[in-house]
Amino acid sequence: MPETFTVFINGQPVTAGPETSVAALLLRERMVNRRSCAGQLRAAFCGMGICMECRVTIDSDAHGLGCMTFCRPNMKITTL
Amino acid sequence: MKTGSVTIIGAGPAGLAAAAAAAPYATVTLLDENPGPGGQIWRAGAGTTTAAAELWEPARQAGAQWLGGCRVVAADAHALLLENATGAQRLPWEKLVLAPGARERFLPFPGWTLPGVLGAGGLQALVKNGLDIRGQRVMVAGSGPLLLAAAAFLRSQGAIIAGITEQATRRQLAGLAWASLVSPEKRKQASGLFRQLRGVPYLTHCWVEAAEVQESSHKNSGWLAAVRLRRGNRRWREPCDWLASGFGLAPNIELARLLGCALAPAAEGRPSSIAVDDFQLASQSNIWCAGEITGIGGLELSLLEGRIAGLAAAGQTALARRWLKARDRQRHFARALARAARLDAELRRLPGDETVICRCEDVPLGRLREYHSWREARLLGRCGMGACQGRICSDITGWLWNWQYDTTRPPVTPARISTLALMAANAEKASSSEFIL
Ligand SMILES: Cc1cc2nc3c(=O)[nH]c(=O)nc-3n(C[C@H](O)[C@H](O)[C@H](O)COP(=O)(O)OP(=O)(O)OC[C@H]3O[C@@H](n4cnc5c(N)ncnc54)[C@H](O)[C@@H]3O)c2cc1C
Ligand code: FES
C-alpha cells in the first residue's frame, strides 16, 4: 500500500501521495488553478514548468508551480 | 587527477550522459529544476527511473554532485543564479554544459485554453506525476512521433484513446519511414509503438479545429467536452475528457541566448536552436550545448551529444572524437524528421480573431494583427510580457508571422523578488554558496 496523507485544497481535506504533483492532484479533482486576467478558467497545460498556468499558492509560496511541486503531508494549496 | 570543474544544466539524457562522461576527469555538478534526474523522457515523479540511475550512479560514484529542485533563472560569464523552493544562490562556473532540452510546441485553435486541453507530452508528464486517467477518453492531436509515445503511454495507464490525429500527410510520413532506415533503434521504437496502439484510429492530414466547453449544467462545467475534427472536407465532433495536443518540440534556447551563444540558421517557421561545432562547443568559449537545445533529434542523439560535450568540457577531446560518427548518423535522421514534420499552412487559419495567443496576458489574435514585430507586440500589446515570458506565444508568433524572438533578458524564467535582488546585488558580495532567504 503506497503512503498517503491529507492535503488541503482551499481548506478542504483531500487524500494524496508523495508521488503526486499539485497540478496532477488539481486535475484529478477537476479544480482549476486560476483565472486569467480576462477571467477565463485555466488549469495545467504544459505539465513541465513552461506555461505557468498551474500557479497556485502552496503553503507560504504565493506563486508555487503546481506541476513542479509534489504533495507533502498537510500541504495547503489555495487556487488563485 | 581531476582538472577543472564542469557545471551541467539539465539532467535529461544529454545532461546525464555529459555528467557520466565528464565525472572521471573533472569536478562535476549536475543541476535540474526537477527533484530527481531523468529529464522529459525518464521523468520519475519524485524518484529516479532505472534508465536515469544507470547513467547517474557511475557519475555519482566518480564524485559528481547533484543539485535537484534548482532552477537556473539567470546567468553571466562567471556565475549562475539559481532558485529553489526556499531561496536563491549564485553558483560560480568554470565550464558549462547546457542541456536544458526542449519544450513542446503548441499551436492555437479556438478553445485551446480550456481546462482539460493540455500538451501531449504535458498530459503524459502529469499522468507520470500522479494523475489517474483510467477509463477516461483522450484525444491525441498535433504532429510528430511524440504523439505516438504519449498515446501509447496514456493507453498503458488505462486511458481510452479516442484517436490520434497527425497533421502531416501520409506521403510526408512515408519519407519519415525511409529516414528511419538509417536508425534501426528508431525503426524498432516506431513498430513497437504501433503495436501498443493496435485498434486506435490514426488519422493523417487531420486536425482539431476547435475544442468545445462543457455546459454549465454538467458536473465538469467549464472544462473540455469535445473536439471538432477536420480531415479534408470531412468534419465531425468527438466527445472526450482530455485533449493532448502538441506540434513537435522547440529547443529551450533562452539561457544559451542570455550567455551570448549564437543561433544555428533555421528554416522559415521552424523553431530556433543553438549552433555548435563538432565537439558541441557553442560560439562562446567554455560553453558546450548538448541534446535538444541544438535541434530536435530524440534520445540516442541526445545521449551521444551529451557524452561528446561532457568529454570535451573535461578536456578529453581525443575520447570525444570516437563518438562523432555515430552522432552524425543520428543527426541525419533528425534532419529527415524535421522535413517530414513540416506544418500544413492551413493550420495558420485555425485561430480566429478572438482566439487568445498570449495566454498570460489574454492577448487575442485580432489585436496582434495591428503589430509588425515581436518587439512591437510586446511593448504595445503586452504579448509575451506575462508569467511565461513569451515562451508559449513566441513559438506561435514565430510560426504565424516569422517574428524573431529577440528579447532574452534575465531572468529567463519568472523569479522571486528576493532572487532578483540577489541578481542585482554586487556579484562579489553575493558569491556566497549558501541559499539566501
Ligand atoms: C514533454 C516532452 C515529452 C517527451 N516524451 C518523450 C517520450 O515519451 N518518448 C521519447 O522517445 N521522447 C520523448 N520526448 C523527447 C525526449 O525528451 C528527448 O528526445 C530527450 O529526452 C532530450 O533529452 P535532453 O537531455 O536534451 O532534454 P530533456 O530530457 O528535456 O532534459 C532537460 C532537463 O533540463 C531541465 N531544465 C531546463 N531548463 C532548466 C533551467 N533553466 N534550470 C534547471 N533545469 C532546467 C528540464 O527540466 C529537464 O529536466 C519528450 C519531450 C518532451 C519535451
Ligand atoms: S503546467 Fe505549465 S508550468 Fe505547470
Side-chain angles (χ1 to χ4, degrees), chain B residues 228-247:
Chain B
R228 297 209 159 267
L229 296 166
R230 172 171 179 201
R231 191 183 199 201
N233 292 324
R234 188 175 158 229
R235 288 185 157 92
W236 73 105
R237 181 177 185 273
E238 194 75 56
C240 51
D241 301 298
W242 306 97
L243 168 60
S245 169
F247 290 80

Side-chain angles (χ1 to χ4, degrees), chain A residues 18-32 34 36-53 55 61 65-68 70 72, chain B residues 33-35 40 43 45-46 71 102-104 106 112-113 115 117-119 122 125-126 129-131 136 220 222-223 241-242 252 356 359-362 387-388 391-392 414 416:
Chain A
E19 304 286 317
T20 302
S21 71
V22 170
L25 180 72
L26 288 164
L27 288 179
R28 185 190 87 187
E29 299 293 318
R30 295 281 177 162
M31 306 243 332
V32 294
R34 62 183 203 99
S36 68
C37 44
Q40 300 179 2
L41 301 177
R42 296 287 170 80
F45 176 64
C46 75
M48 46 183 286
I50 302 283
C51 71
M52 308 289 143
E53 293 283 22
R55 274 169 300 161
D61 190 355
L65 261 197
C67 71
M68 289 279 153
F70 285 85
R72 294 182 298 263
Chain B
E33 60 198 341
N34 291 287
Q40 295 305 338
R43 183 178 296 280
R71 183 173 249 200
R103 53 175 171 259
E104 225 173 332
F106 304 108
W112 76 298
T113 53
V117 178
L118 290 96
L126 279 150
N129 289 350
L131 172 63
Q136 302 188 25
N220 292 337
W223 287 67
D241 301 298
W242 306 97
N252 285 326
V356 161
R359 302 171 64 110
C360 298
E361 295 287 324
D362 283 342
C388 91
R391 285 187 295 174
I392 304 287
R416 280 189 291 269

Side-chain angles (χ1 to χ4, degrees), chain B residues 394-412:
Chain B
S394 68
D395 288 342
I396 297 171
T397 57
W399 179 70
L400 283 175
W401 302 300
N402 218 26
W403 286 356
Q404 282 291 314
Y405 176 72
D406 55 7
T407 47
T408 307
R409 289 210 201 94
V412 289

